[in-house]
Amino acid sequence: MMIEQCNTGRQLNVDVAKCYEIVAMILVHSLVFLGVDVETGFGYVADLWIGGFMGAPVFVVCMGVGLAYSRNNSPKTIISRGAFLLLAGYILNFLRTTPLALSFFLRGLFMERLKMITNLLLAGDIFQFAGLALIFFGILRHIKLRDISILILSVIFSLCATMIPTLRAQGLMVSEAAGLVILFAVGKFPAGSFPLATWFIFVAFGYWFGNKLRNIKNLDRFYSTIALPCLLICIIGVLFECHYGINMMKDELGYHHMILTDAVLCLCYCMFSFSLLHFV
């Protein structure tokens, strides 16, 4: 029997959360590009918290919710959007790297900084992840997997990524390409900031949650019920990780290659932020 969907309009709290995360990620990327130290002070807070823990995961969950609410979400359309975003990510890399490369060339430092320039051109960031995630999601939709099956698959991916140690490679091109999908690193830095294996869970959860959200009649009751438990789980988990300096609170690699328990903490924060914005 079909369940009548009663909550099919725009979700203002999700839209506001997405806008905040976009601004936060632009801020962090600007600071990094301008050479601000992200190991201490405001740079550290912006990188780890504003654009990190409180930023990218929520943005990706919002993307998943958008897939559930989109009226034009055929597998072909989703895959086309993904291919466009993947290409756009590398075009953006080229546009923001070209002035820097030109500056190095004019100062006679081009060959000395060639590895850095190549890294910036090949780096996989949120655009590349979003594109790859949409392509993969479109394929899963094409084979008619249900939202709960997609979510379970994403949890399996995250669990496997949790159990398998981060791989390391010397070849920059190989590691950056592989880093789009699995956990690769060069030194202490991630190759591919958002590997599909660890971050697809946010898209899958957002899609599953969005489908459930369409059937919820009393949003006030729903959000007031989940807000406190999500906040408590998030606070306890984050304080534990900060105290012991482990997992995503350890370093940049730990955040980008987050394990399953970290993903759960991020999802709890995400649901709390949705709840808070619903009542604001």
Side-chain angles (χ1 to χ4, degrees), residues 8 88 109 120-121 165 177 233 260:
T8 57
L109 299 172
L120 291 172
L121 287 171
I233 293 171
L260 180 58

Side-chain angles (χ1 to χ4, degrees), residues 116-128:
M116 173 187 175
I117 294 168
T118 305
N119 183 51
L120 291 172
L121 287 171
L122 297 177
D125 212 321
I126 193 70
F127 265 114
Q128 285 87 343

Side-chain angles (χ1 to χ4, degrees), residues 55-65 126 129 133 194 199-200 202-203 206:
V58 179
F59 173 79
V60 180
V61 171
C62 291
M63 188 173 81
V65 174
I126 193 70
F129 163 75
F194 302 95
W199 283 78
F200 186 70
F202 297 111
V203 179

Side-chain angles (χ1 to χ4, degrees), residues 24-74:
M25 287 189 291
I26 290 174
L27 169 65
V28 170
H29 281 80
S30 298
L31 291 175
V32 172
F33 193 74
L34 291 173
V36 175
D37 182 12
V38 294
E39 300 292 331
T40 57
F42 176 72
Y44 173 79
V45 173
D47 186 47
L48 181 62
W49 294 98
I50 298 175
F53 176 73
M54 301 167 64
V58 179
F59 173 79
V60 180
V61 171
C62 291
M63 188 173 81
V65 174
L67 287 169
Y69 273 82
S70 175
R71 292 183 174 85
N72 187 17
N73 62 354
S74 67

